[in-house]
Coordinates of all heavy atoms in Angstrom, one line a residue:
W30 N -12.8 -1.1 33.5 CA -11.8 -1.8 32.6 C -12.4 -2.9 31.8 O -13.4 -3.5 32.3 CB -10.7 -2.4 33.5 CG -9.9 -1.4 34.3 CD1 -10.0 -1.0 35.6 CD2 -8.8 -0.6 33.8 NE1 -9.1 -0.1 35.9 CE2 -8.4 0.2 34.8 CE3 -8.2 -0.4 32.5 CZ2 -7.3 1.1 34.6 CZ3 -7.2 0.5 32.4 CH2 -6.8 1.3 33.4
R31 N -11.9 -3.1 30.6 CA -12.4 -4.1 29.8 C -11.2 -5.0 29.4 O -10.1 -4.5 29.0 CB -13.0 -3.5 28.5 CG -13.5 -4.5 27.5 CD -14.1 -3.7 26.3 NE -13.1 -3.0 25.6 CZ -12.9 -3.0 24.3 NH1 -13.7 -3.7 23.6 NH2 -11.9 -2.3 23.8
Q32 N -11.3 -6.3 29.6 CA -10.2 -7.2 29.3 C -10.0 -7.4 27.8 O -11.0 -7.6 27.1 CB -10.4 -8.5 30.0 CG -9.2 -9.5 29.8 CD -9.3 -10.7 30.7 OE1 -10.1 -10.7 31.7 NE2 -8.6 -11.7 30.3
L33 N -8.8 -7.3 27.3 CA -8.5 -7.6 25.9 C -8.0 -9.0 25.8 O -7.2 -9.5 26.5 CB -7.5 -6.6 25.4 CG -7.8 -5.1 25.4 CD1 -6.6 -4.3 24.9 CD2 -9.0 -4.9 24.5
N34 N -8.6 -9.7 24.8 CA -8.1 -11.1 24.5 C -7.6 -11.1 23.1 O -8.0 -10.4 22.2 CB -9.3 -12.0 24.7 CG -9.8 -12.1 26.1 OD1 -9.0 -12.2 27.0 ND2 -11.1 -12.0 26.3
H35 N -6.6 -12.0 22.9 CA -6.0 -12.2 21.6 C -7.1 -12.7 20.6 O -7.9 -13.5 20.8 CB -5.0 -13.3 21.7 CG -4.2 -13.6 20.4 ND1 -3.2 -12.8 20.0 CD2 -4.4 -14.5 19.5 CE1 -2.7 -13.3 18.9 NE2 -3.5 -14.3 18.5
G36 N -7.1 -12.0 19.4 CA -8.1 -12.3 18.4 C -8.5 -11.1 17.6 O -8.6 -10.0 18.2
G37 N -8.8 -11.3 16.4 CA -9.3 -10.1 15.6 C -8.2 -9.1 15.4 O -7.1 -9.4 15.0
R38 N -8.5 -7.9 15.8 CA -7.5 -6.8 15.7 C -6.4 -6.8 16.8 O -5.4 -6.1 16.8 CB -8.1 -5.4 15.7 CG -9.1 -5.2 14.5 CD -9.7 -3.8 14.5 NE -10.2 -3.3 15.8 CZ -9.7 -2.2 16.4 NH1 -8.8 -1.5 15.9 NH2 -10.2 -1.9 17.6
I39 N -6.7 -7.6 17.9 CA -5.9 -7.6 19.0 C -4.9 -8.8 19.0 O -5.3 -10.0 18.8 CB -6.7 -7.8 20.3 CG1 -7.8 -6.7 20.4 CG2 -5.8 -7.7 21.6 CD1 -7.3 -5.3 20.4
V40 N -3.6 -8.5 19.1 CA -2.6 -9.5 19.1 C -1.8 -9.4 20.4 O -1.2 -8.3 20.7 CB -1.6 -9.4 17.9 CG1 -0.5 -10.5 18.0 CG2 -2.3 -9.5 16.6
V41 N -1.8 -10.4 21.2 CA -1.0 -10.4 22.5 C 0.1 -11.5 22.3 O -0.2 -12.7 22.1 CB -1.9 -10.8 23.7 CG1 -1.1 -10.8 25.0 CG2 -3.1 -9.8 23.8
Q42 N 1.3 -11.1 22.5 CA 2.5 -12.0 22.4 C 3.3 -12.0 23.6 O 3.5 -10.9 24.2 CB 3.3 -11.7 21.2 CG 2.7 -11.8 19.8 CD 3.6 -11.3 18.7 OE1 4.5 -10.6 18.9 NE2 3.3 -11.8 17.5
Q43 N 3.9 -13.1 24.0 CA 4.8 -13.1 25.1 C 6.0 -14.0 24.7 O 5.8 -15.1 24.3 CB 4.1 -13.7 26.4 CG 5.0 -13.7 27.6 CD 4.4 -14.1 28.9 OE1 3.2 -14.4 28.9 NE2 5.1 -14.1 29.9
K44 N 7.1 -13.4 24.9 CA 8.4 -14.1 24.6 C 9.3 -13.9 25.8 O 9.7 -12.8 26.1 CB 9.1 -13.5 23.4 CG 8.4 -13.8 22.1 CD 9.1 -13.2 20.9 CE 8.3 -13.4 19.6 NZ 9.0 -12.8 18.5
G45 N 9.5 -15.0 26.5 CA 10.3 -14.9 27.7 C 9.7 -14.0 28.8 O 8.5 -14.2 29.1
E46 N 10.4 -13.0 29.2 CA 9.9 -12.0 30.2 C 9.2 -10.8 29.6 O 8.7 -10.0 30.3 CB 11.1 -11.6 31.1 CG 11.7 -12.7 31.9 CD 12.8 -12.2 32.8 OE1 13.1 -11.0 32.8 OE2 13.4 -13.0 33.5
E47 N 9.2 -10.7 28.3 CA 8.5 -9.6 27.6 C 7.2 -10.0 27.0 O 7.0 -11.1 26.5 CB 9.4 -9.1 26.5 CG 10.7 -8.5 27.0 CD 11.6 -7.9 25.9 OE1 11.1 -7.7 24.7 OE2 12.7 -7.6 26.1
A48 N 6.3 -9.0 27.1 CA 4.9 -9.2 26.5 C 4.7 -8.0 25.6 O 5.2 -6.9 25.8 CB 3.9 -9.3 27.6
K49 N 3.8 -8.2 24.6 CA 3.5 -7.2 23.6 C 2.1 -7.2 23.3 O 1.5 -8.3 23.1 CB 4.4 -7.5 22.3 CG 4.1 -6.6 21.2 CD 4.9 -7.0 20.0 CE 4.3 -6.5 18.7 NZ 5.1 -7.0 17.5
L50 N 1.5 -6.0 23.3 CA 0.1 -5.8 22.8 C 0.1 -5.1 21.5 O 0.7 -4.0 21.4 CB -0.7 -5.0 23.9 CG -2.1 -4.5 23.4 CD1 -3.0 -5.7 23.2 CD2 -2.7 -3.6 24.5
E51 N -0.5 -5.6 20.5 CA -0.6 -5.0 19.2 C -2.1 -4.8 18.8 O -2.8 -5.8 18.9 CB 0.1 -5.8 18.1 CG 0.1 -5.2 16.8 CD 0.8 -6.0 15.7 OE1 1.5 -7.0 16.1 OE2 0.7 -5.7 14.5
I52 N -2.5 -3.6 18.4 CA -3.8 -3.4 18.0 C -3.7 -3.0 16.5 O -3.2 -2.0 16.2 CB -4.5 -2.2 18.8 CG1 -4.4 -2.5 20.3 CG2 -5.9 -2.0 18.3 CD1 -4.9 -1.3 21.2
K53 N -4.3 -3.9 15.7 CA -4.2 -3.6 14.2 C -5.3 -2.7 13.8 O -6.4 -2.7 14.4 CB -4.3 -4.9 13.5 CG -3.1 -5.9 13.8 CD -3.3 -7.2 13.0 CE -2.1 -8.1 13.3 NZ -2.2 -9.3 12.6
E54 N -5.1 -2.0 12.7 CA -6.1 -1.0 12.1 C -6.7 -0.2 13.2 O -7.9 -0.1 13.4 CB -7.2 -1.8 11.4 CG -6.7 -2.6 10.2 CD -7.7 -3.5 9.6 OE1 -8.9 -3.3 9.8 OE2 -7.3 -4.5 8.9
I55 N -5.9 0.5 14.0 CA -6.3 1.3 15.1 C -7.1 2.5 14.7 O -6.9 3.0 13.6 CB -5.0 1.7 15.9 CG1 -5.4 2.2 17.3 CG2 -4.2 2.8 15.2 CD1 -4.2 2.2 18.3
T56 N -8.1 2.9 15.5 CA -8.9 4.0 15.3 C -8.9 4.9 16.5 O -8.4 4.5 17.6 CB -10.4 3.6 15.0 OG1 -10.9 2.9 16.1 CG2 -10.4 2.6 13.8
K57 N -9.5 6.1 16.4 CA -9.6 7.0 17.5 C -10.4 6.4 18.7 O -10.1 6.7 19.8 CB -10.3 8.3 17.1 CG -9.5 9.2 16.3 CD -10.2 10.5 16.0 CE -9.4 11.6 16.6 NZ -9.9 12.9 16.4
T58 N -11.3 5.5 18.4 CA -12.0 4.9 19.5 C -11.2 3.9 20.4 O -11.6 3.5 21.5 CB -13.3 4.1 19.0 OG1 -12.8 3.1 18.1 CG2 -14.2 5.0 18.3
D59 N -10.0 3.6 19.9 CA -9.1 2.8 20.7 C -8.3 3.6 21.7 O -7.6 3.1 22.5 CB -8.1 2.0 19.8 CG -8.8 1.0 18.9 OD1 -9.6 0.2 19.4 OD2 -8.5 1.0 17.7
S60 N -8.4 4.9 21.6 CA -7.8 5.8 22.6 C -8.3 5.5 24.0 O -9.4 5.1 24.2 CB -8.1 7.3 22.2 OG -7.5 7.6 21.0
G61 N -7.4 5.8 25.0 CA -7.8 5.6 26.4 C -6.7 5.1 27.2 O -5.5 5.0 26.8
Q62 N -7.0 4.6 28.4 CA -6.0 4.1 29.3 C -6.0 2.6 29.3 O -7.1 2.0 29.3 CB -6.3 4.6 30.8 CG -5.2 4.3 31.7 CD -5.3 5.0 33.0 OE1 -6.2 5.7 33.3 NE2 -4.2 5.0 33.8
Y63 N -4.8 2.0 29.2 CA -4.7 0.6 29.1 C -3.9 0.2 30.4 O -3.0 0.9 30.8 CB -3.9 0.2 27.9 CG -4.8 0.3 26.6 CD1 -5.0 1.5 26.0 CD2 -5.4 -0.8 26.1 CE1 -5.8 1.6 24.9 CE2 -6.2 -0.7 24.9 CZ -6.4 0.5 24.4 OH -7.2 0.6 23.2
R64 N -4.2 -1.0 30.9 CA -3.6 -1.5 32.1 C -3.1 -2.9 31.8 O -3.8 -3.7 31.3 CB -4.6 -1.5 33.3 CG -4.0 -2.0 34.6 CD -5.0 -1.8 35.7 NE -6.1 -2.8 35.5 CZ -6.8 -3.3 36.5 NH1 -6.6 -2.9 37.7 NH2 -7.8 -4.2 36.2
C65 N -1.9 -3.2 32.3 CA -1.3 -4.5 32.1 C -1.1 -5.1 33.5 O -0.5 -4.5 34.4 CB 0.0 -4.5 31.4 SG 0.8 -6.1 31.2
V66 N -1.7 -6.3 33.7 CA -1.5 -7.0 35.0 C -0.8 -8.3 34.8 O -1.2 -9.1 34.0 CB -2.9 -7.3 35.7 CG1 -2.7 -8.0 37.0 CG2 -3.7 -6.0 35.8
A67 N 0.3 -8.5 35.6 CA 1.1 -9.7 35.5 C 1.1 -10.4 36.9 O 1.2 -9.7 37.9 CB 2.5 -9.4 35.1
S68 N 0.8 -11.6 36.9 CA 0.8 -12.3 38.2 C 1.4 -13.7 38.0 O 1.4 -14.3 37.0 CB -0.7 -12.4 38.6 OG -1.4 -13.2 37.7
N69 N 1.9 -14.2 39.2 CA 2.4 -15.5 39.3 C 2.3 -15.9 40.7 O 1.7 -15.3 41.5 CB 3.9 -15.7 38.8 CG 4.9 -14.8 39.5 OD1 4.6 -14.4 40.6 ND2 6.0 -14.6 38.9
T70 N 2.9 -17.0 41.1 CA 2.8 -17.5 42.5 C 3.4 -16.6 43.5 O 3.0 -16.6 44.7 CB 3.5 -18.9 42.6 OG1 4.8 -18.8 42.2 CG2 2.7 -20.0 41.8
S71 N 4.3 -15.7 43.1 CA 4.9 -14.8 44.0 C 4.1 -13.5 44.2 O 4.4 -12.7 45.1 CB 6.3 -14.4 43.5 OG 7.1 -15.5 43.3
G72 N 3.1 -13.3 43.4 CA 2.3 -12.1 43.6 C 1.8 -11.5 42.2 O 1.8 -12.2 41.2
E73 N 1.5 -10.2 42.3 CA 0.9 -9.5 41.2 C 1.5 -8.1 41.1 O 1.8 -7.5 42.0 CB -0.6 -9.4 41.4 CG -1.4 -8.8 40.3 CD -2.9 -8.9 40.5 OE1 -3.5 -9.9 40.4 OE2 -3.4 -7.8 40.9
I74 N 1.6 -7.7 39.8 CA 2.1 -6.3 39.6 C 1.4 -5.8 38.4 O 0.9 -6.5 37.5 CB 3.7 -6.3 39.3 CG1 4.2 -4.9 39.3 CG2 4.0 -7.0 38.0 CD1 5.7 -4.7 39.3
E75 N 1.2 -4.4 38.3 CA 0.5 -3.8 37.2 C 1.1 -2.5 36.8 O 1.8 -1.9 37.6 CB -1.0 -3.6 37.5 CG -1.3 -2.5 38.5 CD -2.8 -2.3 38.7 OE1 -3.4 -3.2 39.3 OE2 -3.3 -1.3 38.3
C76 N 0.9 -2.1 35.6 CA 1.3 -0.8 35.1 C 0.2 -0.4 34.1 O -0.6 -1.1 33.6 CB 2.7 -0.9 34.4 SG 2.7 -1.8 32.9
S77 N 0.2 0.9 33.8 CA -0.8 1.5 32.9 C -0.2 2.5 32.0 O 0.9 3.0 32.3 CB -2.0 2.1 33.7 OG -1.5 3.2 34.5
A78 N -0.9 2.7 30.9 CA -0.4 3.7 29.9 C -1.6 4.3 29.2 O -2.7 3.6 29.1 CB 0.5 3.0 28.9
T79 N -1.5 5.5 28.8 CA -2.5 6.2 28.1 C -2.2 6.2 26.6 O -1.1 6.6 26.2 CB -2.7 7.6 28.6 OG1 -3.0 7.6 30.0 CG2 -3.9 8.3 27.9
L80 N -3.1 5.8 25.8 CA -2.9 5.8 24.3 C -3.8 6.8 23.7 O -5.0 6.9 24.0 CB -3.3 4.4 23.8 CG -3.3 4.3 22.3 CD1 -1.9 4.4 21.7 CD2 -3.9 2.9 21.9
A81 N -3.2 7.7 22.9 CA -4.0 8.8 22.2 C -3.8 8.5 20.7 O -2.7 8.6 20.2 CB -3.5 10.1 22.6
V82 N -4.9 8.2 20.0 CA -4.8 8.0 18.6 C -5.3 9.2 17.9 O -6.4 9.8 18.2 CB -5.7 6.8 18.2 CG1 -5.7 6.5 16.7 CG2 -5.3 5.5 19.0
E83 N -4.5 9.7 17.0 CA -4.8 10.9 16.2 C -5.1 10.5 14.7 O -4.7 9.4 14.3 CB -3.7 11.9 16.2 CG -3.4 12.4 17.6 CD -2.2 13.3 17.7 OE1 -1.5 13.5 16.6 OE2 -1.9 13.8 18.7
E84 N -5.8 11.4 14.0 CA -6.1 11.1 12.6 C -4.8 11.0 11.8 O -3.8 11.7 12.1 CB -6.9 12.2 12.0 CG -8.4 12.2 12.5 CD -9.2 13.2 11.8 OE1 -9.0 13.5 10.6 OE2 -10.1 13.8 12.5
K85 N -4.8 10.1 10.8 CA -3.6 9.9 10.0 C -3.5 11.2 9.1 O -4.5 11.6 8.4 CB -3.8 8.7 9.1 CG -2.6 8.4 8.3 CD -2.8 7.1 7.5 CE -1.6 6.8 6.7 NZ -1.8 5.5 5.9
K86 N -2.3 11.7 9.0 CA -2.1 12.9 8.2 C -1.4 12.4 6.9 O -0.4 11.7 7.0 CB -1.2 13.9 8.9 CG -1.9 14.5 10.1 CD -1.0 15.6 10.7 CE -1.7 16.2 11.9 NZ -0.8 17.1 12.6
T87 N -1.9 12.7 5.8 CA -1.3 12.3 4.5 C -0.7 13.5 3.9 O -1.4 14.5 3.6 CB -2.3 11.6 3.6 OG1 -3.4 12.5 3.4 CG2 -2.8 10.3 4.2
E88 N 0.6 13.4 3.6 CA 1.3 14.5 2.9 C 1.7 14.1 1.6 O 2.2 12.9 1.4 CB 2.5 15.0 3.8 CG 2.1 15.6 5.1 CD 3.3 16.1 5.8 OE1 4.3 16.4 5.2 OE2 3.3 16.1 7.1
I89 N 1.6 14.9 0.6 CA 2.1 14.6 -0.7 C 3.5 15.2 -0.8 O 3.6 16.5 -0.8 CB 1.2 15.1 -1.8 CG1 -0.2 14.4 -1.7 CG2 1.8 14.8 -3.2 CD1 -1.2 14.8 -2.7
L90 N 4.5 14.4 -0.9 CA 5.8 14.9 -1.1 C 6.1 15.2 -2.5 O 5.6 14.6 -3.4 CB 6.8 13.9 -0.6 CG 6.7 13.4 0.9 CD1 7.6 12.3 1.2 CD2 6.9 14.6 1.8
E91 N 6.9 16.2 -2.7 CA 7.2 16.6 -4.1 C 7.8 15.5 -4.9 O 7.6 15.3 -6.1 CB 8.2 17.8 -4.1 CG 8.3 18.5 -5.4 CD 9.0 19.8 -5.3 OE1 8.7 20.6 -4.4 OE2 9.9 20.0 -6.2
G92 N 8.6 14.6 -4.2 CA 9.2 13.5 -4.9 C 8.4 12.3 -5.0 O 8.8 11.2 -5.4
D93 N 7.1 12.4 -4.5 CA 6.2 11.2 -4.5 C 6.0 10.7 -5.9 O 5.6 11.5 -6.8 CB 4.9 11.6 -3.8 CG 4.0 10.4 -3.7 OD1 4.4 9.4 -3.1 OD2 2.8 10.5 -4.2
L94 N 6.1 9.5 -6.2 CA 6.0 8.9 -7.5 C 4.6 9.1 -8.1 O 4.5 9.5 -9.3 CB 6.4 7.4 -7.5 CG 6.3 6.7 -8.8 CD1 7.3 7.3 -9.9 CD2 6.6 5.2 -8.7
R95 N 3.6 8.8 -7.3 CA 2.2 9.0 -7.8 C 2.0 10.4 -8.3 O 1.3 10.7 -9.3 CB 1.2 8.5 -6.8 CG 1.1 7.0 -6.7 CD 0.1 6.7 -5.7 NE 0.8 6.0 -4.6 CZ 0.4 6.0 -3.4 NH1 -0.7 6.6 -3.0 NH2 1.1 5.3 -2.5
T96 N 2.5 11.4 -7.5 CA 2.2 12.8 -7.9 C 3.0 13.1 -9.2 O 2.4 13.8 -10.0 CB 2.8 13.7 -6.7 OG1 2.1 13.3 -5.5 CG2 2.5 15.1 -7.0
R97 N 4.2 12.6 -9.3 CA 4.9 12.9 -10.5 C 4.3 12.3 -11.7 O 4.3 12.9 -12.8 CB 6.4 12.5 -10.4 CG 7.2 13.4 -9.4 CD 8.6 13.0 -9.5 NE 8.8 11.7 -9.0 CZ 10.0 11.1 -8.9 NH1 11.0 11.6 -9.5 NH2 10.1 9.9 -8.4
L98 N 3.8 11.1 -11.5 CA 3.1 10.4 -12.7 C 1.9 11.2 -13.1 O 1.6 11.2 -14.3 CB 2.8 9.0 -12.3 CG 3.9 8.0 -12.2 CD1 3.5 6.6 -11.7 CD2 4.6 7.9 -13.5
K99 N 1.1 11.7 -12.2 CA -0.1 12.5 -12.5 C 0.3 13.7 -13.3 O -0.5 14.2 -14.1 CB -0.9 12.8 -11.3 CG -1.6 11.7 -10.6 CD -2.3 12.1 -9.4 CE -2.9 10.9 -8.7 NZ -3.5 11.3 -7.4
K100 N 1.5 14.3 -13.0 CA 1.9 15.5 -13.7 C 2.6 15.3 -15.0 O 2.8 16.2 -15.8 CB 2.8 16.3 -12.8 CG 2.1 16.9 -11.5 CD 3.0 17.6 -10.7 CE 2.3 18.2 -9.5 NZ 3.3 18.9 -8.6
T101 N 3.0 14.0 -15.3 CA 3.7 13.7 -16.5 C 2.7 13.7 -17.7 O 1.7 13.0 -17.6 CB 4.4 12.3 -16.4 OG1 5.2 12.3 -15.2 CG2 5.2 12.0 -17.6
P102 N 3.0 14.5 -18.7 CA 2.1 14.5 -19.9 C 2.1 13.1 -20.6 O 3.2 12.5 -20.6 CB 2.6 15.6 -20.8 CG 4.0 15.8 -20.4 CD 4.1 15.4 -18.9
T103 N 1.0 12.7 -21.1 CA 1.0 11.4 -21.8 C 1.6 11.6 -23.2 O 1.5 12.7 -23.8 CB -0.5 10.9 -21.9 OG1 -1.2 11.9 -22.6 CG2 -1.0 10.6 -20.6
K104 N 2.2 10.6 -23.7 CA 2.7 10.7 -25.1 C 1.6 10.6 -26.1 O 0.7 9.8 -26.0 CB 3.7 9.5 -25.3 CG 4.9 9.6 -24.5 CD 5.9 8.4 -24.8 CE 7.1 8.5 -24.0 NZ 8.0 7.4 -24.3
Q105 N 1.6 11.5 -27.0 CA 0.6 11.5 -28.0 C 1.1 10.9 -29.3 O 2.3 11.0 -29.6 CB 0.2 13.0 -28.3 CG -0.5 13.6 -27.2 CD -1.1 15.0 -27.5 OE1 -0.8 15.5 -28.6 NE2 -1.7 15.6 -26.6
K106 N 0.3 10.2 -30.0 CA 0.7 9.5 -31.2 C 1.1 10.5 -32.2 O 0.3 11.4 -32.5 CB -0.5 8.6 -31.6 CG -0.1 7.6 -32.6 CD -1.3 6.7 -32.9 CE -0.8 5.5 -33.9 NZ -1.9 4.6 -34.1
K107 N 2.2 10.3 -32.8 CA 2.7 11.2 -33.9 C 1.8 11.0 -35.1 O 1.4 9.8 -35.4 CB 4.1 10.9 -34.3 CG 5.1 11.2 -33.2 CD 6.5 10.9 -33.6 CE 7.5 11.2 -32.5 NZ 8.9 10.8 -32.9
E108 N 1.5 12.1 -35.7 CA 0.6 11.9 -36.9 C 1.5 11.4 -38.1 O 2.6 11.8 -38.3 CB 0.1 13.3 -37.3 CG -1.0 13.7 -36.4 CD -1.9 14.8 -37.0 OE1 -2.0 14.9 -38.2 OE2 -2.4 15.6 -36.2
E109 N 1.0 10.4 -38.7 CA 1.7 9.8 -39.8 C 1.0 10.2 -41.1 O -0.1 10.8 -41.1 CB 1.6 8.3 -39.7 CG 2.3 7.8 -38.4 CD 2.1 6.3 -38.2 OE1 1.6 5.6 -39.1 OE2 2.5 5.8 -37.1
G110 N 1.7 9.9 -42.2 CA 1.1 10.2 -43.5 C -0.1 9.4 -43.8 O -0.6 8.7 -42.9
P111 N -0.6 9.5 -45.0 CA -1.8 8.7 -45.3 C -1.6 7.2 -45.2 O -0.5 6.8 -45.4 CB -2.1 9.1 -46.8 CG -0.8 9.7 -47.3 CD -0.1 10.2 -46.1
P112 N -2.7 6.5 -44.9 CA -2.5 5.0 -44.8 C -2.0 4.4 -46.1 O -2.3 4.8 -47.2 CB -3.9 4.5 -44.4 CG -4.8 5.7 -44.7 CD -4.0 6.9 -44.8
V113 N -1.2 3.3 -45.9 CA -0.6 2.6 -47.0 C -1.4 1.5 -47.4 O -1.8 0.7 -46.5 CB 0.9 2.2 -46.6 CG1 1.5 1.4 -47.8 CG2 1.7 3.3 -46.3
D114 N -1.7 1.3 -48.7 CA -2.5 0.2 -49.2 C -1.5 -0.9 -49.5 O -0.7 -0.8 -50.5 CB -3.3 0.6 -50.4 CG -4.1 -0.6 -51.0 OD1 -4.1 -1.6 -50.3 OD2 -4.6 -0.4 -52.1
I115 N -1.4 -1.9 -48.6 CA -0.4 -3.0 -48.8 C -0.5 -3.7 -50.1 O 0.5 -4.1 -50.7 CB -0.4 -3.9 -47.5 CG1 0.8 -4.8 -47.5 CG2 -1.7 -4.8 -47.6 CD1 2.0 -4.1 -47.0
M116 N -1.7 -3.9 -50.6 CA -1.9 -4.6 -51.8 C -1.3 -3.8 -53.0 O -0.7 -4.4 -53.9 CB -3.4 -4.9 -52.1 CG -4.0 -5.9 -51.0 SD -3.2 -7.4 -50.9 CE -3.7 -8.2 -52.4
E117 N -1.5 -2.5 -53.0 CA -1.0 -1.7 -54.0 C 0.5 -1.7 -53.9 O 1.2 -1.7 -55.0 CB -1.6 -0.3 -53.8 CG -1.2 0.7 -55.0 CD -1.8 0.3 -56.3 OE1 -3.0 -0.2 -56.3 OE2 -1.2 0.6 -57.3
L118 N 1.1 -1.6 -52.7 CA 2.5 -1.6 -52.5 C 3.2 -2.9 -53.1 O 4.2 -2.8 -53.7 CB 2.8 -1.4 -51.0 CG 4.3 -1.3 -50.7 CD1 4.8 0.0 -51.2 CD2 4.4 -1.3 -49.2
L119 N 2.5 -4.0 -52.9 CA 3.2 -5.3 -53.3 C 2.7 -5.8 -54.6 O 3.2 -6.9 -55.1 CB 2.8 -6.4 -52.2 CG 3.4 -6.1 -50.8 CD1 2.9 -7.1 -49.8 CD2 4.9 -6.0 -50.8
K120 N 1.9 -5.1 -55.3 CA 1.3 -5.5 -56.6 C 2.3 -5.9 -57.6 O 2.3 -6.9 -58.3 CB 0.4 -4.4 -57.1 CG -0.3 -4.8 -58.4 CD -1.4 -3.9 -58.8 CE -0.9 -2.4 -59.0 NZ -2.0 -1.6 -59.5
N121 N 3.4 -5.1 -57.8 CA 4.4 -5.4 -58.9 C 5.7 -5.9 -58.3 O 6.7 -5.7 -58.9 CB 4.6 -4.1 -59.7 CG 3.4 -3.7 -60.4 OD1 2.6 -4.5 -60.9 ND2 3.1 -2.4 -60.4
V122 N 5.6 -6.5 -57.1 CA 6.9 -7.0 -56.5 C 6.9 -8.5 -56.5 O 5.9 -9.2 -56.3 CB 7.0 -6.5 -55.0 CG1 8.2 -7.0 -54.3 CG2 7.0 -5.0 -55.0
D123 N 8.1 -9.1 -56.7 CA 8.2 -10.6 -56.7 C 8.0 -11.0 -55.3 O 8.6 -10.5 -54.3 CB 9.6 -10.9 -57.2 CG 9.9 -12.4 -57.3 OD1 9.0 -13.2 -56.9 OD2 11.0 -12.8 -57.8
P124 N 7.2 -12.1 -55.0 CA 7.0 -12.6 -53.7 C 8.3 -12.9 -52.9 O 8.3 -12.8 -51.7 CB 6.2 -13.9 -53.9 CG 5.5 -13.7 -55.2 CD 6.5 -12.8 -56.0
K125 N 9.4 -13.2 -53.6 CA 10.7 -13.5 -52.9 C 11.2 -12.2 -52.2 O 12.0 -12.2 -51.3 CB 11.7 -14.0 -53.9 CG 11.4 -15.4 -54.4 CD 12.4 -15.8 -55.4 CE 12.0 -17.1 -56.0 NZ 12.9 -17.5 -57.1
E126 N 10.7 -11.1 -52.6 CA 11.2 -9.8 -52.1 C 10.3 -9.3 -50.9 O 10.6 -8.3 -50.3 CB 11.1 -8.7 -53.2 CG 12.0 -9.0 -54.4 CD 13.5 -8.9 -54.1 OE1 13.8 -8.0 -53.4 OE2 14.2 -9.8 -54.5
Y127 N 9.2 -10.0 -50.6 CA 8.3 -9.5 -49.5 C 9.0 -9.2 -48.2 O 8.7 -8.3 -47.5 CB 7.2 -10.5 -49.3 CG 6.1 -10.5 -50.4 CD1 5.1 -11.5 -50.4 CD2 6.1 -9.6 -51.5 CE1 4.2 -11.6 -51.4 CE2 5.2 -9.7 -52.5 CZ 4.2 -10.6 -52.4 OH 3.2 -10.7 -53.4
E128 N 9.9 -10.1 -47.9 CA 10.5 -10.0 -46.5 C 11.7 -9.1 -46.4 O 12.2 -8.8 -45.4 CB 11.0 -11.4 -46.1 CG 9.8 -12.4 -45.9 CD 10.2 -13.7 -45.4 OE1 11.4 -13.9 -45.0 OE2 9.4 -14.6 -45.4
K129 N 12.1 -8.5 -47.5 CA 13.2 -7.6 -47.4 C 12.9 -6.2 -46.9 O 11.9 -5.7 -47.0 CB 13.9 -7.5 -48.8 CG 14.6 -8.7 -49.2 CD 15.3 -8.5 -50.5 CE 16.0 -9.8 -50.9 NZ 16.7 -9.7 -52.1

């Protein structure tokens, strides 16, 4: 047996009569048998549990936003006519008319 202490990926919390063990970023190497020992002036009690960690399965759902975005065609810029020469356009116009 190896004793687990609070810190790093291991979080041990106790609230009242309940205790909680949390292992963050769990991997397959965390699989195995775990034992909890509780003791006080009246005595000691223990229980054990087996933890089996499996590989994370990633499924792409049909409604998944990222999948739909990848399948969405990008908008293409509409072809416009020939470029407009702004100087030619405003050459014979009164400057008061520029903003209209």
Side-chain angles (χ1 to χ4, degrees):
W30 295 101
R31 180 178 64 132
Q32 184 171 341
L33 297 177
N34 295 312
H35 182 85
R38 297 184 315 120
I39 308 296
V40 178
V41 180
Q42 295 177 336
Q43 185 172 357
K44 291 182 182 177
E46 294 181 1
E47 294 184 12
K49 173 182 161 182
L50 168 66
E51 180 179 349
I52 306 171
K53 297 180 180 182
E54 299 174 20
I55 198 161
T56 65
K57 283 185 119 180
T58 59
D59 294 313
S60 295
Q62 190 164 9
Y63 287 79
R64 181 175 71 151
C65 177
V66 180
S68 62
N69 62 18
T70 55
S71 300
E73 184 177 283
I74 190 169
E75 71 176 70
C76 66
S77 62
T79 302
L80 175 66
V82 179
E83 298 176 357
E84 288 184 36
K85 182 177 180 181
K86 294 181 182 177
T87 55
E88 293 182 29
I89 298 177
L90 302 175
E91 193 169 314
D93 184 57
L94 179 60
R95 283 183 244 150
T96 304
R97 287 191 294 175
L98 287 174
K99 288 179 184 176
K100 292 180 180 177
T101 304
T103 57
K104 292 182 181 179
Q105 294 184 356
K106 195 173 184 179
K107 294 180 182 177
E108 288 198 27
E109 299 175 6
V113 177
D114 180 8
I115 194 75
M116 295 305 286
E117 187 66 34
L118 184 67
L119 298 175
K120 180 168 61 173
N121 296 321
V122 178
D123 184 356
K125 293 177 185 175
E126 300 291 318
Y127 287 172
E128 294 182 11
K129 290 186 179 179

